[in-house]
Structure formats: C-alpha cells, structure tokens
C-alpha cells in the first residue's frame, strides 16, 4: 500500500544487547512491481555508519575525507532538510527546531548536542563541489541507548544494580535488584516499574529480591519511574554448571577488575587459572582500560578433574566520553567574548565521578586542571587564534582523554585602516585626509570612531567622521600622517601605516647657527643651516668671507650640517649660508654669524735683568714675562706660589703686567717667582701656561769682604797721608812747616773710627790745586764722596740724605817773628786754617 512506502531500518544486537549494526530498506519506489532495497548505491560515499550513544551525549556525524567538498546538505530520512554546512565550521540552519542543537565542524561534519530519543534518525549528508556538482552521499544511523517512552515524561535517568554485583550466578543463589534514579533536581518518591525482556513485571518497589534463582530467570531487566525514561537493560545469567566465572554487571575505565571463579560445591580447590582470549593472565586485581575488553574464562580443579567455565565477554565501558571542544559562539570577532566548552558525558552509573578540565592553544597550556569545563576570553584578539583542544581527567583515577584539535580564527571586526592623503599639497591650499576601513559583513552595525596623527602626535580626537581637513595648508603641516580606528569602548583599535605629506613651495630665508660660536685653534665647529619652508630636495651652500666652503642637499625636512676644523686664526669672522630648491632656484641668503677664534697661550719665558739667582740686598731687580703664542692674554705673577696683587706696595707691575719691578731688594723678596699666562674661550674653558721658576736669593757682604775693604781703605789712607806728608815736607823746605789744627770732623773721623757699626765707608778722592797768583797760600782740596755699602751685622738703617763733607787746608808764609809768637801762644798750634764746607757751597769755596 502507498502508506507503506517508507524507509525501514533493522538493528542487530548480540545476546547481551550490545549493538552490532543497522540495515536500511527504502521501499518508497517501485521498480517493475518489485520493492527496491537499495538507495542509489553507486552514489554512496561509504556504507551507512551506525552510531550508538547514551542518552544526553554529544554525537558527531563525521564525513568521509574528500578534498572537493564545498557544500554539505543534511536531511533526515531523505526528506526533512535540517542544515547546510561548509568546511571551516560554517553552517546555515534550515530547521528552526534545531536552533542551539547543531554545530558545524571544521571539515563540514555535523555535531548534535545532548541527544535524546527525538534525535534517533537516519541522517543523510549530500556532498557537493563548489559548483554544486553532486559528489556522493553518506548516511548515519543514530541510535540512543534507551527504549521509547511516553514523551510527556521528564528525562530522569534510571539504571539497575545487583547485590551481589555478579551478572552470572548459580541456580539457587539469592540476588537483589535496585532501581537507581539520577536527577539533577530534588526527586520526589514515585512508583517503580520493572521489566524483564521488555515485559512488565508485577513489581512496583524500588528494590526486589530473588531468593532462589532459576535458569528461567535469566534475561534483561529494566526499570523506570512515572517521570523517567526506562533504564538500559541489565543481563542476568543463571547457570547450572560445575564452574562459573562471575563478572561485575558493569565495568568502566579506571575500575579495578574483580573476577570470581566459583565452583559448584566445596570440593573445588582454591587454585584458579583465568584466561583472556585463551591466554592465561593469572590472578585478578588489576585496573581496567579499553584494551582489557575480551573473552574471559577460568579453570578450577575438583578432586582430580579440571573444570572450565563458559566464556564471558567483558566489555570495558567508557567512564566518560571523549571530550569535544565546542565554541559557544559560531563566529567570534575582535573585541567580543569567546567561550570554549569541553563537553563530555559520564556514564549514567558514574555520574558522581568528579572530572577536571584543562585547555590548550597551540600545544601551550592555558590553565591548570579545574572543575570548570569552560574557558572564556572576555575580549578576543587576533593572537587568540590558533589550534585549541581540551583535556579531561577523572579526579580519583588515571583516566585522561583529550579532544580533537579545533582551529579557531578570530574574525576581523574591521580591516586595518588605510589613510588616504594627497601626494603633494601646495602651500595655502586645502587638504582633506580620509581614513578607510571595511566592517565585517556579519557586524555591519558596529559603530567605529576615527582619529588622525601627525608625526605620532594626535591632531584630531576620536569621532564618528573618518575625514580630517587642513585649511589652509602651512609648511608645518608636512610630516608622516596616520589614522586610528576603534570601537566606542576602545576594546578594539587599529592603526594605519604612515603616509608622508609634502608641502610644495619655494624655500624661505635660512638661518645659520654656529655650534659653538667660539672656538680655539685646533677645535671644530658645526655650521647648521635650515629653511623652515620649501619642499625637498633643498640645496644649501656655506660661505666664509664670500668663499664657498661646501654644498649639502637634504631630501627630507632636516637641518644641513657642515663640520669645520679650526686650523688658524684666519678662520674666524663672518659666516653665512644660502638655500634653494628645484621649485625656485633663487638663492635665499641667511644673516651672518660671527665665529670668534682665539689662539691658546703657549711658549712662555721668564727673564731677569741680572744673571743668576743671587742678588744683593737693596739692589733693584726686573723680571720680564714673554709669551710667543696666544691672543687676549692675561699675565699673572706668583711669588712663593702666592698670586701677586696689582695693588701690592712691594712690587711694581709694568707694561700691562708683563714686567715685575722691585726697586730695593729686601729679605722678604727672596723665594720663587713664576709668571702665568691665560686666555679664555668661554666661561667654562680657559687656557693656561706657566713659566719656569726663577729663584731669588738676597745676599749681604761677608766678614772677609769687610776686612778686605778695610784693608784697602787703610792702604788708601796711608797713601793719602804719605802724599800729604810729602807735600808738607816739600812746603816746609820752602816756606816752613805748616802745622794744622785737628778739625772736629774730617779724615781722622774715618781713620780712627773702628766701630763695626759705621754706617758708611768713604771713598776718598783728592787733588792738588796750584797756588793762585799773587797769593801767599797753597791750598789742597780733598774731595770725599760717600757711597752706600752693605752694613755689617746686625743690619742698620741707612740714612738716605747723607751730607758730603769737604776739608780745605790753608797755609801762609811764616816769618821768624811770627814763629816766635806762635811758640809762646798756647791757643794757636799752627798757621793752618781748616774750613769745613758742604756739597751745597763747594763752588763758593773753590773760587
């Protein structure tokens, strides 16, 4: 009949109700009055894939690998279209009832979250190329491990446990059944329903007991409540054998395997041999993982006979499913929150097991194990893109599982901005700059703000306008311009690359700067020339006294520099520069800048007007200081390392300080003398040179010199006396003896004075003056000149205004009467008259 034209499915299970496979039959079409049992076999990518999952688990419909796949059309039972996926995790949902239920994987595969009985379907995936050419189809038969129940019931979970927990027992054994309820909320006590081999039992308690098992009690037991789904079947095997191998009803990863090889009676020995897949494995008591599944049996000896149990297939169940990394948001753009979940499902019997979660990006650990199965990034950035996976570990066991790698790319909220500027702008014109960017097509309503910068400094604050206007354009507007784009809260901001704006026009008058403007011979100075206006390249010329020194061309707005080494004093004086560019070749000339050049002092010499280092007391001394090199020189004198003051009364500074004159040497003038020449370039730079040291020693006449002088003076006096005597004798012969009266002062004063404290030692010069005509007298003049000489110790002061004494002897011709009178006179010794005259009246007495 027409209503029978459906797709039929046959599922196969083993004796323990373990799922084996599924077979589809499509009877929707007639071919020559016969039912077609194939659905386009030539177009199938691969045979139908059976998928068998627990209630509440996540199911992935994994597509076969195909490089040309561009579009995948998903439907249920070849009729209801639910979604279209594309490689890269893109999905277009078609059925609103599946909102939040489906997710696309990176290769276009489909993921179904939290499967229920409603999701038990045959899913068909049609694979197409980019041009929508059909490639093949793939079918997935999704089966949830539960039986159909009234859909009005809430999805409470139940499962059956045994006590003792052996799924194989002997006849006559006692065993209890319990219906366990798993609920995330408070559960109210309800009625229970028990089933054996899908047949309702007249038992309504949560627990019931079989006191003496019989073989007919073997079968699958299930339970449910009025608000739950029916539990998975639990197989009970009642045997009547010599030996049985007792296995727990359910074994999970991480559980310790406990097997009991039990004999019928007490005559069996305690020694046991256990085999797995016909290989002896010894005693029991090791922890299970997925590789421990297999066929087990045991052997026991009774008296002399060895008995072997029936083989029992032990399936190690998953403690929890392989985790699946999920991205809550299908598309995450910059600045948006991204949340990843690590989804796994615990076995219903192990729902109280504590699980720990850890997340990775590009093999780098993002966090340590924690009970939180989510990882969030509050504001995603491009650097958060990468390959993610998560890891799950049971708290009290070593069971650890990792998810598949999921590539997550953070989408651009908007593209990197590009600044649009004119290539060249004339001075005085108007320029408009624009900041261009493109919003993400899925985020077209995103509000953006724009700002502009010149040489890194903000010239326009953030606003909704993407334009910046310069009016009028000035030379200072040249530079590197960038623009920035951000969201109103600044969670995402991007900057453009820099674009240079050149303001074209002729150069203006340049400015020349000398660094430094004062220099010494041997130094160097830098000439800096810059025009504030003008488009590059700009050409600069440097001059000194109209002599071209060099030419420099700058290709950016920068200062032209010329370095000079000061080789001589002639390099001082005025400098200037000129500039021009290719827009206008007329030279603009700067103001002159003067360079002050000095020659550092050098080659200093100190000389004296007397040779040697020993000088006589009260003599004069002249010291001269000469410098061969240097300009603007200052001379300073040092006596015994102490600076000689300009106003000192002990010295006289002459010829601008180059001469130090001492009129009368005294003992305090002795010591070392040195002259210093300096000239200054700036406050912090002074040149200085010191002469060699001149020693000055002050000497007086020694005792030997004094005795020699006295001896010479004595000889001189004797010669004078002898001359006088000879003269008197000569006159006596002629006119008689002329006797003289001893004057109060005269020669005897010097001859008889032997006091060592005598202040002066006279030097006597005498001469005879011929007798005047018609006169009866013969006069002899004796001239005494006094000169200063060193005094004997202790030194005494010398009176400066020394009076020079002259003595004149005057004699007359004597008669015999006269002589007689003189002899008788006691008051007159002779006819000689002595006159003492001073230097002031010498001319008068000489007449």
């Amino acid at each position: 009949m027409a209503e029978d034209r459906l797709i039929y499915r046959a599922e196969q299970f083993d004796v323990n109700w373990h799922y084996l496979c599924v077979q589809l039959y499509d009877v929707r079409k007639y071919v020559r009055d016969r039912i077609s049992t194939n659905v386009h076999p030539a177009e199938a990518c691969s045979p139908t894939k059976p998928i068998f999952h627990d209630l509440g688990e996540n199911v992935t419909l994994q597509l076969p690998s195909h490089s040309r796949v561009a579009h995948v059309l998903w439907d249920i039972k070849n009729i209801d279209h639910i979604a279209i996926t594309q490689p890269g995790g893109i999905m277009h949902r078609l059925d609103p009832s599946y909102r939040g239920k489906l997710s696309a994987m990176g290769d276009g595969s489909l993921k179904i979250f939290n499967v229920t009985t409603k999701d038990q379907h045959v899913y068909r995936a049609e694979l197409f190329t980019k041009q929508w050419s059909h490639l093949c189809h793939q079918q997935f038969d999704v089966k949830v491990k539960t039986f159909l129940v009234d859909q009005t019931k809430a999805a409470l979970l139940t499962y059956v446990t045994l006590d003792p927990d052996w799924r194989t027992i002997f006849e006559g054994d006692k065993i209890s059944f319990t219906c366990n309820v798993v609920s995330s909320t408070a559960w109210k006590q309800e009625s229970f329903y028990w089933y054996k081999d899908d047949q309702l039992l007249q038992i309504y308690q949560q627990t019931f007991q079989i006191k003496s098992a019989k073989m007919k009690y073997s079968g699958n037991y299930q339970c449910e409540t009025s608000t739950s789904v029916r539990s998975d079947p639990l197989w009970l095997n009642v045997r009547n054998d010599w030996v049985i191998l007792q296995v727990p009803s359910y074994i999970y990863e991480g559980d310790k395997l406990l097997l009991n090889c039990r004999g019928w009676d007490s005559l069996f020995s305690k020694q046991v041999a256990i085999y797995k897949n016909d290989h002896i494995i010894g005693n029991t008591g090791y922890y299970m993982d997925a590789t421990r599944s297999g066929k087990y049996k045991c052997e026991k000896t009774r008296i002399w006979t060895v008995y072997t149990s029936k083989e029992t297939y032990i399936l190690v169940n998953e403690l929890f499913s392989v985790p699946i990394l999920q991205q809550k948001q299908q598309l995450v753009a910059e600045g948006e929150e991204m949340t990843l979940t690590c989804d796994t499902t615990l076995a219903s019997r192990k729902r109280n097991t504590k699980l720990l979660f850890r997340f990775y990006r590009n093999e780098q650990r993002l966090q340590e194990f924690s009970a939180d199965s989510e990882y969030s990034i509050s504001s995603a950035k491009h650097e958060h893109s990468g390959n993610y996976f998560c890891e799950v570990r049971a708290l009290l066991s070593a069971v650890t599982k990792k998810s598949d790698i999921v590539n997550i790319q953070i989408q651009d909220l908007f593209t990197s901005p590009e600044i649009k500027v004119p290539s060249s702008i004339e001075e005085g014109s108007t320029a408009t700059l624009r900041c261009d960017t493109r919003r993400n097509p899925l985020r077209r309503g995103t509000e953006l703000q724009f700002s502009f910068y010149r040489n890194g400094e903000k010239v326009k604050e953030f606003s909704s306008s993407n334009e910046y206007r310069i009016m009028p354009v000035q030379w200072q507007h040249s530079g590197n311009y960038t623009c920035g784009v951000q969201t109103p809260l600044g969670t995402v901001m991007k900057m453009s690359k820099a674009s240079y704006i050149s303001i074209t026009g002729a150069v203006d008058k340049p400015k020349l700067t000398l660094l430094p403007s004062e220099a010494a011979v041997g130094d160097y100075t830098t000439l800096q020339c810059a025009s504030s206006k003008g488009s590059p390249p700009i050409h600069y010329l440097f001059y000194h006294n109209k002599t071209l020194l060099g030419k420099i061309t700058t290709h950016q707005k920068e200062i032209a520099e010329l370095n000079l080494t000061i080789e001589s004093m002639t390099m001082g004086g005025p400098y200037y520069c000129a500039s021009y560019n290719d827009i206008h070749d007329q030279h603009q000339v700067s103001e002159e800048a003067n360079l002050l050049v000095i020659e550092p002092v050098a080659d200093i010499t100190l000389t004296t007007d007397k040779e040697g280092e020993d000088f006589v007391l009260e003599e004069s001394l002249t010291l001269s200081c000469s410098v061969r090199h240097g300009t603007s020189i200052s001379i300073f004198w040092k006596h015994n390392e102490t600076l000689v003051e300009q106003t000192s009364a002990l010295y006289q500074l002459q010829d601008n300080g180059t001469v130090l004159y001492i009129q009368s040497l005294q003992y305090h003038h002795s010591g070392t003398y040195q002259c210093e020449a300096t000239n200054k370039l700036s406050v912090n730079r002074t040149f200085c040179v010191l002469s060699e040291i001149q020693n000055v020693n002050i000497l007086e006449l020694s005792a030997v010199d004094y005795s020699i002088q006295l001896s010479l003076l004595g000889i001189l006096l004797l010669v004078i006396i002898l001359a006088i005597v000879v003269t008197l004798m000569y006159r006596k012969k002629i006119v008689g003896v002329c006797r003289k009266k001893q004057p109060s002062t005269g020669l005897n004063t010097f001859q008889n004075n032997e006091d060592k404290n005598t202040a002066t030692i006279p030097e006597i010069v005498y001469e005879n003056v011929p007798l005047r005509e018609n006169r009866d007298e013969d006069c002899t003049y004796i001239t005494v000149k006094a000169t200063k000489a060193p005094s004997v110790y202790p030194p005494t002061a010398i009176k400066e205004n020394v009076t020079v004494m002259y003595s004149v002897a005057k004699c007359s011709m004597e008669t015999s009467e006269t002589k007689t009178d003189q002899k008788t006179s006691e008051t007159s010794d002779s006819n000689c008259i002595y006159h003492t005259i001073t230097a002031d009246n010498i001319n008068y007495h000489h007449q």
Side-chain angles (χ1 to χ4, degrees):
M1 299 177 64
E3 56 268 22
D4 298 325
R5 296 176 184 177
L6 299 173
I7 296 177
Y8 292 85
R9 175 173 58 197
E11 297 177 355
Q12 294 182 351
F13 298 85
D14 63 10
V15 293
N16 295 321
W17 283 94
H18 294 122
Y19 180 81
L20 297 177
C21 62
V22 65
Q23 178 64 48
L24 292 179
Y25 300 94
D26 188 357
V27 294
R28 293 177 297 175
K29 298 180 181 180
Y30 288 94
V31 180
R32 294 182 182 179
D33 299 329
R34 292 187 295 107
I35 296 176
S36 173
T37 58
N38 294 309
V39 182
H40 308 293
E43 297 180 4
C45 302
S46 64
T48 300
K49 294 182 178 181
I51 299 176
F52 201 27
H53 272 269
D54 287 331
L55 186 70
E57 291 185 336
N58 299 329
V59 177
T60 299
L61 307 182
Q62 185 66 49
L63 291 174
S65 177
H66 206 302
S67 60
R68 297 176 59 193
V69 174
H71 311 280
V72 181
L73 178 63
W74 295 87
D75 60 34
I76 298 175
K77 299 180 181 179
N78 300 330
I79 300 174
D80 300 325
H81 298 291
I82 59 173
I84 297 176
T85 61
Q86 292 176 312
I90 302 173
M91 182 175 67
H92 306 282
R93 295 184 181 89
L94 300 179
D95 191 338
S97 63
Y98 280 86
R99 184 179 302 275
K101 186 78 173 177
L102 305 178
S103 174
M105 307 299 288
D107 60 351
S109 299
L110 190 67
K111 179 179 236 180
I112 307 173
F113 298 105
N114 193 22
V115 293
T116 66
T117 54
K118 287 184 178 181
D119 302 316
Q120 293 187 118
H121 303 294
V122 175
Y123 293 84
R124 180 184 177 93
E126 298 283 352
L127 280 64
F128 297 89
T129 64
K130 189 175 183 181
Q131 292 76 24
W132 287 94
S133 298
H134 187 267
L135 294 174
C136 61
H137 70 263
Q138 179 65 52
Q139 294 191 133
F140 304 88
D141 184 18
V142 176
K143 177 66 176 176
V144 179
K145 293 182 186 178
T146 185
F147 289 83
L148 294 177
V149 297
D150 186 353
Q151 297 301 316
T152 61
K153 296 182 180 180
L156 291 178
L157 298 180
T158 57
Y159 62 91
V160 178
T161 57
L162 302 176
D163 184 22
D165 189 20
W166 303 119
R167 69 187 188 192
T168 302
I169 61 176
F170 282 119
E171 278 188 318
D173 287 347
K174 181 174 65 176
I175 192 166
S176 297
F177 294 81
T178 301
C179 185
N180 300 274
V181 179
V182 178
S183 176
S184 58
T185 61
W187 174 70
K188 184 179 180 181
Q189 184 69 36
E190 302 180 44
S191 297
F192 289 87
Y193 304 93
W194 287 92
Y195 300 85
K196 177 182 179 292
D197 297 332
D198 206 24
Q199 298 296 317
L200 182 64
L201 302 176
Q202 300 301 313
I203 301 173
Y204 303 102
Q205 294 82 22
Q206 185 174 7
T207 301
F208 74 94
Q209 185 181 66
I210 299 176
K211 295 183 178 181
S212 179
K214 300 183 181 297
M215 291 186 64
K216 66 178 181 178
Y217 293 158
S218 297
N220 284 298
Y221 288 82
Q222 295 173 277
C223 72
E224 67 178 358
T225 69
S226 57
T227 58
S228 73
V229 295
R230 192 179 301 180
S231 69
D232 289 337
L234 176 62
W235 175 259
L236 177 66
N237 189 13
V238 181
R239 306 291 299 177
N240 186 17
D241 294 331
W242 286 103
V243 175
I244 59 173
L245 178 62
Q246 292 185 309
V247 179
S249 56
Y250 282 91
I251 299 175
Y252 292 91
E253 297 169 310
D255 288 349
K256 188 174 183 180
L257 179 61
L258 296 175
L259 303 178
N260 184 27
C261 189
R262 181 181 171 191
W264 175 258
D265 56 22
S266 60
L267 297 178
F268 283 88
S269 66
K270 294 183 178 181
Q271 293 183 348
V272 177
I274 298 178
Y275 295 83
K276 176 190 174 184
N277 298 331
D278 294 330
H279 296 284
I280 190 168
I281 60 174
N283 296 325
T284 61
Y286 46 85
Y287 290 94
M288 302 298 291
D289 57 29
T291 62
R292 300 287 185 179
S293 297
K295 296 178 180 180
Y296 287 77
K297 64 182 178 180
C298 68
E299 289 181 351
K300 241 184 177 187
T301 303
R302 185 178 185 275
I303 306 178
W304 301 107
T305 306
V306 177
Y307 294 91
T308 304
S309 69
K310 298 291 185 181
E311 282 189 338
T312 300
Y313 186 84
I314 297 178
L315 175 65
V316 180
N317 296 283
E318 281 188 332
L319 176 62
F320 54 88
S321 62
V322 175
I324 299 175
L325 184 67
Q326 295 289 334
Q327 182 180 347
K328 278 191 174 181
Q329 304 84 359
Q330 291 300 313
L331 174 65
V332 178
E334 299 168 299
E336 297 178 346
E337 182 180 10
M338 180 180 75
T339 302
L340 302 178
T341 61
C342 190
D343 297 331
T344 186
T345 303
L346 278 166
S348 59
R349 295 171 178 268
K350 295 287 187 176
R351 287 192 177 273
N352 292 326
T353 302
K354 300 297 182 182
L355 298 180
L356 301 178
F357 302 84
R358 186 159 63 185
F359 292 82
Y360 296 80
R361 179 177 64 239
N362 298 329
E363 301 294 336
Q364 298 296 319
R365 188 182 302 166
L366 298 177
Q367 65 179 35
E368 294 301 326
F369 277 113
S370 70
D372 191 358
S373 62
E374 290 189 353
Y375 174 76
S376 296
I377 299 174
S378 59
S379 180
K381 299 179 181 179
H382 273 299
E383 53 264 31
H384 294 141
S385 299
N387 294 318
Y388 286 79
F389 68 90
C390 66
E391 184 178 16
V392 182
R393 186 184 73 185
L395 178 63
L396 299 178
S397 69
V399 180
T400 302
K401 297 181 182 182
K402 294 181 180 180
S403 71
D404 292 334
I405 293 176
V406 177
N407 182 265
I408 297 177
Q409 296 297 322
I410 307 302
Q411 304 295 316
D412 281 328
L413 185 61
F414 52 88
T415 61
S416 295
E418 181 180 0
I419 188 168
K420 301 291 186 180
V421 300
S423 59
S424 178
I425 305 175
E426 289 287 342
E427 182 184 15
S429 63
T430 300
T432 301
L433 285 63
R434 191 174 71 253
C435 190
D436 290 342
T437 186
R438 294 187 303 277
R439 293 173 174 81
N440 190 305
L442 300 179
R443 301 291 188 273
R444 293 187 183 276
T446 303
E447 182 182 352
L448 298 179
Q449 295 179 342
F450 304 84
S451 64
F452 291 83
Y453 302 80
R454 179 176 65 245
N455 298 327
E457 295 185 1
K458 187 180 291 185
V459 295
K460 183 185 177 184
E461 295 294 334
F462 279 103
S463 69
S464 58
S465 175
N466 70 332
E467 291 186 349
Y468 171 58
R469 179 170 295 181
I470 307 174
M471 182 178 63
V473 174
Q474 302 295 329
W475 296 104
Q476 59 268 26
H477 292 143
S478 298
N480 288 308
Y481 282 80
T482 55
C483 70
V485 183
Q486 70 171 18
T487 55
L489 297 179
T491 55
V492 181
M493 180 180 177
K494 297 182 181 181
M495 295 293 297
S496 70
K497 294 181 179 179
S499 293
Y500 185 79
I501 294 181
S502 175
I503 309 302
T504 60
V507 298
D508 62 349
K509 183 178 181 179
K511 179 180 179 181
L512 178 66
T513 304
L514 302 180
L515 296 175
S517 60
E518 298 178 354
V521 175
D523 291 348
Y524 71 89
T525 187
T526 300
L527 282 65
Q528 293 184 344
C529 188
S531 290
S532 60
K533 298 181 180 180
S535 55
I538 301 177
H539 311 286
Y540 292 93
L541 305 174
F542 295 86
Y543 295 89
H544 175 226
N545 292 328
K546 298 183 179 181
T547 300
L548 179 63
L549 300 177
K551 178 181 179 181
I552 295 177
T553 299
T554 61
H555 297 278
Q556 298 292 336
K557 294 293 291 183
E558 55 188 347
I559 298 175
E561 293 185 350
L562 181 67
N563 296 321
L564 293 179
T565 300
I566 308 303
E567 298 177 350
S568 65
M569 296 288 294
T570 60
M571 297 187 70
Y575 287 79
Y576 64 92
C577 68
S579 65
Y580 66 95
N581 63 2
D582 298 339
I583 303 299
H584 200 291
D585 60 359
Q586 182 177 357
H587 292 196
Q588 298 290 333
V589 181
S590 71
E591 298 290 339
E592 290 184 347
N594 191 64
L595 177 64
L596 175 63
V597 178
I598 70 167
E599 183 181 22
V601 292
D603 296 341
I604 187 171
T605 305
L606 190 154
T607 59
T608 60
D609 60 344
K610 297 179 178 62
E611 296 183 356
E613 297 180 350
D614 299 329
F615 302 95
V616 179
L617 184 70
E618 297 186 352
E619 286 185 343
S620 64
L621 180 62
T622 302
L623 293 87
S624 301
C625 187
S626 62
V627 182
R628 292 186 60 187
H629 301 287
T631 55
S632 303
I633 302 174
S634 298
I635 302 295
F636 302 94
W637 289 90
K638 292 183 179 180
H639 178 210
N640 293 332
E641 301 297 331
T642 302
L643 186 67
V644 175
E645 300 292 340
Q646 294 282 345
T647 58
S648 175
L650 301 178
Y651 316 93
Q652 296 181 22
L653 297 178
Q654 303 173 357
D655 294 343
N656 295 324
T658 60
V659 174
L660 178 68
Y661 176 70
I662 304 174
Q663 183 177 5
S664 177
L665 288 171
Q666 301 298 324
Y667 286 103
H668 55 259
H669 290 129
S670 62
T672 61
Y673 286 81
Q674 197 174 19
C675 67
E676 178 183 4
T678 64
N679 56 357
K680 184 181 294 185
L681 180 61
S682 63
V683 176
N684 299 323
R685 193 177 181 194
T686 301
F687 301 96
C688 177
V689 63
L690 288 171
S691 69
E692 294 183 353
I693 295 176
Q694 173 66 48
N695 293 313
V696 174
N697 303 321
I698 307 300
L699 303 179
E700 63 179 11
L701 293 177
S702 64
V704 177
D705 294 335
Y706 185 69
S707 62
I708 293 174
Q709 288 185 3
L710 290 178
S711 299
L712 292 175
L713 182 59
I715 295 172
L716 179 59
L717 289 175
L718 289 177
V719 173
I720 293 174
I721 294 171
L722 182 60
I724 294 173
V725 171
V726 173
T727 301
L728 291 177
M729 291 178 63
Y730 178 74
R731 287 174 61 88
K732 185 176 182 182
K733 288 181 182 183
I734 301 176
V735 295
V737 177
C738 181
R739 298 173 56 191
K740 65 179 180 180
K741 184 177 180 179
Q742 183 69 30
S744 59
T745 59
L747 295 175
N748 291 334
T749 304
F750 301 99
Q751 293 172 350
N752 298 327
N753 189 0
E754 297 179 356
D755 189 356
K756 291 183 180 181
N757 295 327
T758 304
T760 60
I761 300 176
E763 178 186 354
I764 302 176
V765 181
Y766 65 93
E767 59 181 349
N768 293 330
V769 182
L771 296 174
R772 299 180 183 179
E773 295 182 358
N774 303 322
R775 300 293 295 272
D776 58 352
E777 60 184 5
D778 186 9
C779 296
T780 300
Y781 289 85
I782 301 172
T783 304
V784 180
K785 297 180 179 178
T787 60
K788 296 179 182 178
S791 62
V792 297
Y793 291 96
T796 58
I798 301 175
K799 297 180 180 180
E800 294 192 1
N801 296 326
V802 179
T803 302
V804 182
M805 307 298 294
Y806 295 87
S807 297
V808 180
K810 181 179 181 181
C811 299
S812 300
M813 297 295 293
E814 295 180 350
T815 60
S816 59
E817 294 84 1
T818 307
K819 292 180 180 180
T820 303
D821 295 336
Q822 291 175 347
K823 290 179 180 180
T824 60
S825 179
E826 297 179 356
T827 60
S828 177
D829 294 334
S830 67
N831 294 327
C832 295
I833 301 173
Y834 289 88
H835 295 279
T836 301
I837 59 177
T838 64
D840 296 330
N841 56 10
I842 187 171
N843 294 331
Y844 174 81
H845 291 281
H846 194 270
Q847 293 180 355

